Amino acid sequence: MKQDSRISAEEASRNPIAAFDPDRISGLQANTSAIERRAATLPGRRSVKGAAQAAWLMRAITMIDLTTLAGDDTPGRVRRLCAKARRPVRADILAALGMGDVPITTGAVCVYHEMVPVAVAALEGSGIPVAAVSTGFPAGLSPLPLRIAEIHESVAAGAAEIDIVISRRHVLTGDWERLHDELCQFREACGPAHMKAILATGELGSLRAVAQASHVAMMAGADFIKTSTGKESVNATLPVSLVMLRAIRDHHRLTGYRVGYKPAGGISKAKDSLVYLSLIKEELGQHWLSPDLFRFGASSLLGDIERQLEHHAAGAYSAAHRHPMG
Amino acid sequence: MGIKEYFDSMDYAPAPESPAEALAWLDTHDRRFGPVIGGAMQASADERFPSTNPATGEPLAEITVTTKAGIDAAIAAARAAQPDWENGGGPARARVLYALARMVQRHARLFAVLETLDGGKPIRESRDIDIPLVARHFYYHAGMAQLIGSEMPDRRAHGVCAQVIPWNFPLLMLSWKVAPALAAGNTVVLKPAEQTSLTALLFAELAHKAGLPPGVLNLVTGAGDVGAALVAHPDVDKVAFTGSTEVGRAIRTATAGQGKALTLELGGKSPYIVCADADLDSAVEGLVDAIWFNQGEVCCAGSRLIVQECIAEDFSARLRARMARLRVGDPLDKCTDIGAMVSPEQRDRVRAMVAQVAPDAVHSPDIDLPEAGCFLPPMLIDGLDAAHPLMQEEIFGPVLVSTTFRTPAEAAALANNTRYGLAATVWSENLNLALDIARQVRAGVVWVNATNLFDAAAGFGGVRESGFGREGGWEGMTAYTRAREIPSASQPAEATAAVPAPTAAIDRTAKLYIGGKQARPDGGYSTPVVGADGTSLGDAGVGNRKDIRNAVEAARKAQPGWVDATAHLRAQILYFIAENLSARAAEFTARLTAMSGDAETAAAEVEAACDALFTFAAWADKRDGAVKPVPLRGLALALREPVGVIGVLCPEAAPLLGPVTALAAAAAMGNTCVLVPSERHPLAATDLYQVLDTSDLPGGVVNIVTGSAETLGPVLAEHMDVDALWSFGDDGLAAELETRSAGSLKRCWVAAPDAVMQGAGTAPAQHALLDAATEIKTVWVPYGEGA
């Protein structure tokens, strides 16, 4: 009974599937030069220093989807990653920073379908969700029924989040309704699992297309919109992020639902993560600075953050080998 | 707050830039400063004034009020240094300017922190915008010094420049003034604003260490009275001022008739147009850079939002949300968007202006303001009508006023509904629409889908009461040079021999020529015109101020159509005028002969007039604009636009060639004009009516009002709808014309008769006329599409 009401409250706040509305995308504009200018000047406008910097970096950790998406992934490799997700920072560093009593884990662990059971088992009791990339990741060109079946399999295997890829061809040909329809099917297949829609922005050709695809994905009930698979030649960038964040803001204004954002690929420096967090804070507000609404898709970011945190704790610059491998 | 608190709150921590180095530099001077003359700071016991940090109210230093003797000494030092500086050659000057650019970069942070301490602007802006642009200006003009000898061989330095700069961009304005002046071979006496003298003093000290010869750059410190004494000094050749329109007008008046070159960069109320098809979020972000840049203390601030009615509500909501995230506070903090107003006086002035509207009409976000210091929140006043004083007057603070438009034509009309014309911004994703509005807006600079972009290669400056002259680019160099002296080849038309008057024929009454029609003078008087031998040649109408009014009205009405008529068509018509004039050469020769008594000279003058028409017809479609290589993915277009309506007082010495050359140059570039022929010899000009009538010239492009220059010149000078006044006649009128032109700050060109009589003769003379007939509008069009 109690469980049910929690789920329904959760469901009630979840971005629902909505009918396709061509007016939402027809007049969308995204001026590349102006967006680049805003993105380029933001790091100079906001500076996160001292205690705030250490705090923000730990918050960043809680929003990392610690990821391994390689052909040579094995159960052992994934278990090691999960262990790192449970304990991303050395206990002595957390204690020195006065954060010894704050449970800090990564936001999720993100793997291919075959690795989902291993990850689920390794993370049991931690509260850390397992995310599975799906729907023919990364290109999304396998048969639609198989892509939908893949979602079902992963959800059944215990994935709480499904990172689906959109059909870029529907964006490039302007077939928005078909894109919407496909995404609605994915969203239904996800059931209780959250759907993170990967737009593969590096393959969409323009920021305007990124804005349009973002709106379509949100109309189709995406819980998160995500930039990239990490496999495109261009992954997450600040200009792309700005466009997607503004789309999320518009969606919230129009519908009242908050959709999450996940930049993925290419964010490997602690300093970069601070810029992203300040971008979220400035464009969407404090509310979005939580794992429910923001994730970094990253594999090497954590390592750099750990080194920065040790520097905060000890005052001397750190080295990679001092931090446990993930 | 500790780490755990920040972990929960995700607030920014204070991130102040240290002022220690800058304060230490002040201490090396015991915090006492004075004028810099001949390379040395003058320690004196004269009266001092404090320089304070507006963010805290703390005194930073005491600065000497430069005395009259100090100003004299500074100018004398500049005068003494000038010949060697100029004659040393461009390449030598280029090395010094290059050294200054490097010097600025070496000390970039010291300059930035000192600028922020002294003026209250956020460290982000002084560090990321002002100081890099300062270095850029010195680099760019090092190149100008290198090239000027080969690229501008007909021009040379003015001599000694008096420069007065404002407090909003202290070091940046110094660089905009000093770099081109020095590149051209001038020496300088500069007065920084009394609120913000410190970076200029630091600059002077470091510049001399970097190899700037003594006396080339001198500083006089003090307030407005020191500036007034400086610009009025008789041994100054060129005056450049950036600041308020009010002071600019006073400088125009004070220097009237002194023969000093003058450029003024004054106030503005720049429109910021947002069309329905714009990227609205980016347009909102642009406003942050427009009106909340430097606390809105920016002459070209996009302070007048003109937004399409159908999106006004949406846009306002987005704007208000953005305003709520602006951070007002410690200018040294790296997270500050809006710093301190420069002084309590300026803060109070802005408050008093805003008090013109009801408090509940002013939106400011619920954000924290420091308790002490000169701070103001960002403010938005929505839904004002064009008639409201706050839509008309420059506020010079973080206050945006807004109104709506229905159609692009209305947007342009609202944008132009101002006395100013400095800058404009247009947001639209439709290139047709954006560039159309960019052309229609009266402004020296237009930014398309961007705002407040600056670069040394791109001209900056205003039209109308925003001043005249351009800073930056080749056009900026023109303002710091003058034509080399060319020996005069002209002879005044003197009666040399008595010749028989033309046979009397049917009476011809010379009327005025207004709007393509002959019109009787309003006053109803005519005056006799006599020839070289004293016999009567006929009567000419005596034009009065109402005739000028009518002529200007006709010229204004004809001007938009004449611009749109295309350069090709304008050229065709000028050629056609030449053809028809040539066909009647005998008649005009006889007329001129009767006036001067010299048949040979008369024939030559008619021939020269035909040549002048051919020359400027040729130029009509060849006076190219330019694309400036600015550091931006985009185009910075330097468009040559017509000045508008030009009044011309014609010389007595060439009764036909004078007016013809002037009208040819003016009309070729798309201007319309009101000509006042020589009072003594008006009939060659009035004979032109039939030539013009038969040459397809649209009515109103050329208007001719006969009468006395002493009477009509001042009326033209004062007329608010005349954009420029050229006087090639009586030198004695210069002071009065320039004084009276101050009201509308029109471009006033008082030149010797040769400027127009030889105007088609040499390339420099042609360029002088063409420059006077055009205004550079810099249009910035960033482009790009990608993910």
Side-chain angles (χ1 to χ4, degrees):
Chain A
M1 184 73 184
K2 207 174 177 185
Q3 182 90 347
D4 286 347
S5 71
R6 192 191 65 80
I7 287 169
S8 67
E10 210 277 333
E11 276 298 317
S13 69
R14 208 180 153 189
N15 182 43
I17 291 177
F20 176 68
D21 175 4
D23 290 346
R24 279 275 296 271
I25 54 166
S26 61
L28 282 177
Q29 301 289 5
N31 186 286
T32 299
S33 295
I35 287 162
E36 286 176 349
R37 187 174 161 85
R38 164 70 168 149
T41 54
L42 179 80
R45 286 183 186 273
R46 293 293 179 264
S47 181
V48 186
K49 296 290 179 197
Q53 187 179 82
W56 282 45
L57 289 174
M58 280 183 281
R59 186 68 87 93
I61 291 172
T62 70
M63 297 188 279
I64 291 177
D65 280 4
L66 202 59
T67 301
T68 182
L69 294 171
D72 58 1
D73 285 344
T74 62
R77 157 79 183 120
V78 170
R79 275 194 287 272
R80 194 174 72 207
L81 194 73
C82 292
K84 186 69 181 173
R86 283 171 177 268
R87 234 175 288 185
V89 184
R90 263 173 30 216
D92 62 299
I93 295 176
L94 289 179
L97 295 172
M99 294 285 287
D101 55 344
V102 180
I104 290 191
T105 69
T106 67
V109 167
C110 182
V111 294
Y112 271 116
H113 169 78
E114 280 300 305
M115 295 295 131
V116 170
V118 182
V120 168
L123 292 172
E124 196 183 349
S126 69
I128 302 171
V130 173
V133 295
S134 194
T135 65
F137 181 95
L141 287 167
S142 49
L144 181 59
L146 294 188
R147 282 183 272 153
I148 291 168
E150 191 182 0
I151 295 175
H152 285 301
E153 294 269 343
S154 294
V155 174
E161 301 175 3
I162 305 293
D163 290 25
I164 61 97
V165 292
I166 68 163
S167 296
R168 277 76 110 183
R169 61 190 184 284
H170 295 334
V171 176
L172 296 172
T173 58
D175 200 348
W176 303 113
E177 201 156 1
R178 195 140 162 230
L179 178 67
H180 178 262
D181 183 58
E182 196 174 277
L183 287 170
C184 288
Q185 294 183 57
F186 291 166
R187 168 70 157 83
E188 274 162 9
C190 284
H194 280 204
M195 180 169 89
K196 294 164 53 204
I198 302 174
L199 306 183
T201 53
E203 294 178 348
L204 301 187
S206 75
L207 292 178
R208 188 175 300 99
V210 170
Q212 290 169 317
S214 298
H215 278 274
V216 173
M218 290 186 288
M219 274 190 268
D223 297 287
F224 266 72
I225 52 175
K226 173 176 169 184
T227 57
S228 324
T229 64
K231 313 291 184 190
E232 293 87 48
S233 57
V234 180
N235 295 297
T237 65
L238 284 178
V240 157
S241 298
L242 192 53
V243 170
M244 293 173 71
L245 296 178
R246 287 173 173 175
I248 289 170
R249 189 169 66 199
D250 281 347
H251 186 76
H252 180 239
R253 187 168 47 85
L254 291 168
T255 69
Y257 291 104
R258 290 191 173 93
V259 169
Y261 177 62
K262 178 176 172 184
I267 304 166
S268 58
K269 297 290 175 203
K271 197 175 172 190
D272 297 341
S273 71
L274 295 174
V275 173
Y276 271 93
L277 294 182
S278 60
L279 183 68
I280 301 288
K281 185 176 160 82
E282 296 300 315
E283 291 287 329
L284 290 178
Q286 207 90 341
H287 207 97
W288 263 265
L289 290 175
S290 101
D292 295 340
L293 289 170
F294 182 72
R295 300 284 178 81
F296 288 108
S299 45
S300 57
L301 172 62
L302 177 57
D304 195 51
I305 293 181
E306 287 176 86
R307 291 192 300 127
Q308 298 309 319
L309 289 176
E310 183 167 33
H311 176 232
H312 274 283
Y317 290 108
S318 181
H321 66 260
R322 297 173 54 82
H323 305 282
M325 278 175 68
Chain B
M1 283 205 295
I3 292 177
K4 199 179 257 178
E5 287 75 30
Y6 280 115
F7 183 80
D8 292 330
S9 71
M10 290 299 282
D11 283 338
Y12 298 106
E17 181 77 40
S18 167
E21 299 278 326
L23 295 175
W25 176 74
L26 295 176
D27 287 338
T28 62
H29 289 268
D30 295 329
R31 303 214 177 200
R32 290 190 164 193
F33 298 88
V36 178
I37 298 169
M41 170 107 60
Q42 306 295 306
S44 77
D46 294 322
E47 185 193 345
R48 290 196 171 88
F49 62 93
S51 193
T52 54
N53 177 346
T56 61
E58 287 165 14
L60 291 168
E62 288 196 339
I63 299 173
T64 302
V65 178
T66 308
T67 58
K68 171 82 175 59
I71 296 168
D72 288 343
I75 291 172
R79 179 63 66 196
Q82 200 272 330
D84 282 353
W85 179 244
E86 182 173 14
N87 298 333
R93 296 197 299 275
R95 289 180 178 220
V96 174
L97 287 164
Y98 179 75
L100 297 184
R102 302 297 281 177
M103 177 276 284
V104 169
Q105 287 186 315
R106 277 199 302 281
H107 301 286
R109 195 54 60 91
L110 178 59
F111 277 116
V113 172
L114 188 62
E115 196 78 300
T116 287
L117 280 174
D118 203 16
K121 67 172 62 200
I123 185 71
R124 178 193 80 90
E125 294 178 8
S126 51
R127 180 197 64 200
D128 294 352
I129 299 171
D130 288 36
I131 306 305
L133 269 174
V134 170
R136 164 84 181 130
H137 268 263
F138 280 101
Y139 275 118
Y140 181 84
H141 286 98
M144 277 297 186
Q146 185 74 23
L147 297 179
I148 189 171
S150 56
E151 293 302 310
M152 301 175 85
D154 302 317
R155 300 191 69 83
R156 56 164 301 181
H158 284 295
V160 173
C161 299
Q163 304 179 325
V164 177
I165 58 172
W167 43 255
N168 57 345
F169 294 91
L171 193 65
L172 184 57
M173 288 302 105
L174 176 148
S175 73
W176 284 25
K177 295 277 180 286
V178 169
L182 299 194
N186 301 283
T187 54
V188 167
V189 180
L190 177 133
K191 190 196 84 70
E194 70 273 21
Q195 296 89 341
T196 56
S197 311
L198 296 178
T199 47
L201 290 158
L202 174 63
F203 180 88
E205 179 178 311
L206 296 175
H208 288 114
K209 281 185 188 164
L212 182 71
V216 170
L217 170 63
N218 307 275
L219 302 182
V220 291
T221 47
D225 50 346
V226 175
L230 174 62
V231 302
H233 197 285
D235 201 26
V236 160
D237 301 303
K238 150 89 187 176
V239 172
F241 170 75
T242 295
S244 72
T245 292
E246 186 191 349
V247 174
R249 198 170 272 135
I251 290 176
R252 167 72 287 179
T253 309
T255 59
Q258 296 181 345
K260 294 169 182 166
L262 177 64
T263 46
L264 300 172
E265 201 269 88
L266 308 176
K269 187 78 180 177
S270 296
Y272 189 100
I273 300 169
V274 181
C275 300
D277 64 356
D279 174 353
L280 297 187
D281 287 320
S282 289
V284 165
E285 200 57 46
L287 270 175
V288 174
D289 290 331
I291 187 63
W292 295 305
F293 176 51
N294 201 31
Q295 298 74 246
E297 298 165 326
V298 183
C299 52
C300 55
S303 53
R304 217 161 29 107
L305 173 62
I306 302 175
V307 60
Q308 197 153 6
E309 195 171 342
C310 57
I311 53 154
E313 208 173 311
D314 182 5
F315 192 78
S316 180
R318 289 172 198 262
L319 178 57
R320 285 161 191 249
R322 181 67 183 87
M323 288 171 76
R325 302 213 189 279
L326 292 170
R327 293 167 63 91
V328 182
D330 179 7
L332 281 173
D333 192 299
K334 294 166 194 163
C335 291
T336 291
D337 295 310
I338 300 177
M341 302 297 288
V342 73
S343 65
E345 295 75 25
Q346 182 61 15
R347 177 198 57 197
D348 295 345
R349 208 182 69 82
V350 172
R351 278 186 182 155
M353 289 194 76
V354 172
Q356 293 179 59
V357 297
D360 61 355
V362 183
H363 170 76
S364 38
D366 183 21
I367 53 178
D368 295 331
L369 245 57
E371 282 165 19
C374 299
F375 294 93
L376 287 175
M379 287 175 256
L380 167 67
I381 306 175
D382 259 336
L384 285 187
D385 296 315
H388 197 283
L390 290 187
M391 285 297 278
Q392 302 286 340
E393 293 162 17
E394 184 175 38
I395 298 176
F396 226 66
V399 186
L400 178 68
V401 296
S402 92
T403 191
T404 61
F405 72 91
R406 297 166 296 170
T407 63
E410 189 172 70
L414 283 165
N416 289 337
N417 187 213
T418 172
R419 290 176 296 143
Y420 296 110
L422 191 49
T425 300
V426 186
W427 287 84
S428 165
E429 289 298 303
N430 176 346
L431 196 65
N432 299 297
L433 176 58
L435 293 184
D436 192 28
I437 293 180
R439 279 317 286 248
Q440 288 184 59
V441 169
R442 292 277 286 144
V445 186
V446 182
W447 295 292
V448 175
N449 293 327
T451 204
N452 278 345
L453 302 177
F454 309 102
D455 185 60
F460 182 90
V463 300
R464 294 181 172 169
E465 291 183 31
S466 292
F468 40 79
R470 292 290 176 269
E471 298 186 294
W474 293 100
E475 52 269 45
M477 290 306 289
T478 309
Y480 279 100
T481 54
R482 62 189 160 102
R484 286 188 186 279
E485 295 78 2
I486 307 164
S488 171
S490 71
Q491 300 293 326
E494 292 289 345
T496 50
V499 291
T503 313
I506 300 172
D507 174 74
R508 280 173 67 188
T509 299
K511 300 180 196 164
L512 314 182
Y513 189 65
I514 294 174
K517 293 189 172 66
Q518 298 195 33
R520 287 202 175 76
D522 170 81
Y525 288 100
S526 290
T527 186
V529 180
V530 293
D533 60 356
T535 58
S536 168
L537 300 181
D539 292 315
V542 178
N544 65 13
R545 56 186 293 124
K546 287 188 180 170
D547 296 312
I548 291 291
R549 175 198 65 188
N550 296 344
V552 171
E553 223 164 74
R556 173 59 63 199
K557 194 172 163 212
Q559 209 258 333
W562 186 236
V563 178
D564 290 345
T566 78
H568 173 67
L569 183 65
R570 292 198 297 271
Q572 277 190 306
I573 290 173
L574 289 173
Y575 285 126
F576 198 18
I577 295 174
E579 182 185 325
N580 288 325
L581 179 60
S582 181
R584 299 167 74 154
E587 177 197 327
F588 277 88
T589 303
R591 175 66 94 185
L592 291 172
T593 306
M595 291 174 178
S596 66
D598 179 350
E600 201 176 315
T601 307
E605 185 176 341
V606 176
E607 192 55 31
C610 294
D611 260 355
L613 285 160
F614 256 64
T615 297
F616 289 105
W619 271 119
D621 52 5
K622 293 172 196 68
R623 190 63 170 158
D624 300 343
V627 181
K628 301 303 184 82
V630 294
L632 168 89
R633 188 188 60 220
L635 302 171
L637 308 169
L639 306 177
R640 291 188 187 273
E641 298 202 332
V643 169
V645 174
I646 301 175
V648 185
L649 306 180
C650 300
E652 185 175 307
L656 178 68
L657 180 59
V660 166
T661 304
L663 81 83
M669 295 296 105
N671 301 282
T672 56
C673 56
V674 176
L675 304 175
V676 177
S678 138
E679 188 179 11
R680 188 169 156 214
H681 297 312
L683 298 182
T686 62
D687 288 349
L688 275 175
Y689 302 166
Q690 292 184 353
V691 175
L692 301 178
D693 280 342
T694 51
S695 305
D696 296 341
L697 184 74
V701 172
V702 174
N703 305 276
I704 298 175
V705 178
T706 51
S708 128
E710 285 80 9
T711 311
L712 302 179
V715 177
L716 281 167
E718 280 183 340
H719 199 302
M720 297 290 176
D721 211 19
V722 173
D723 297 294
L725 178 61
W726 299 349
S727 172
F728 303 112
D730 185 355
D731 256 3
L733 277 179
E736 183 176 9
L737 295 178
E738 288 182 347
T739 302
R740 290 183 188 264
S741 74
S744 64
L745 285 163
K746 69 172 50 72
R747 287 114 191 84
C748 203
W749 185 28
V750 179
D754 266 359
V756 69
M757 288 162 55
Q758 303 291 317
T762 63
Q766 291 167 22
H767 286 287
L769 273 165
L770 293 168
D771 282 349
T774 52
E775 196 81 78
I776 299 269
K777 178 193 270 183
T778 305
V779 178
W780 293 72
V781 191
Y783 58 74
E785 180 88 1

